[in-house]
Amino acid sequence: PVVIGGFEAQAIALALQDIKPNRPMTHDLFKESLVALNVYLLEILISELREGVFYATLVYLKPDGSTLDVDSRTSDALALAVRFGCPI
């Protein structure tokens, strides 16, 4: 199982249920900032399990059409994936 903290679990649940809080949560703010910069999350990759810890990578599409891979905690990657509607 992937261990997810309370804050990240709440962020994932709100996005899955399409509940919009009165003020943007951190993952919402991050998504909207990326969209404003014309950067989109293509997919997340959960690619490794080391010593009980899952490792995830965010794969972004940049404005020039190239991609950028960024290391991420798996719980944050999942919270962003549900907001962008991208494959996991």
Side-chain angles (χ1 to χ4, degrees), residues 59-76:
V59 181
Y60 290 109
L61 176 64
K62 298 187 328 183
D64 66 4
S66 65
T67 60
L68 172 67
D69 294 353
V70 176
D71 184 36
S72 173
R73 294 186 315 166
T74 301
S75 57
D76 288 326

Side-chain angles (χ1 to χ4, degrees), residues 8-21 25 28 82-83:
E8 292 82 5
Q10 180 184 25
I12 292 166
L14 289 174
L16 287 174
Q17 296 172 17
D18 200 28
I19 296 172
K20 304 287 186 218
M25 296 184 71
D28 299 314
V82 296
R83 281 165 173 72

Side-chain angles (χ1 to χ4, degrees), residues 35-56:
V35 170
L37 295 169
N38 202 28
V39 175
Y40 295 90
L41 186 60
L42 290 177
E43 65 182 344
I44 69 163
L45 305 172
I46 302 172
S47 57
E48 197 170 345
L49 175 62
R50 275 188 276 156
E51 299 179 21
V53 176
F54 286 94
Y55 287 77

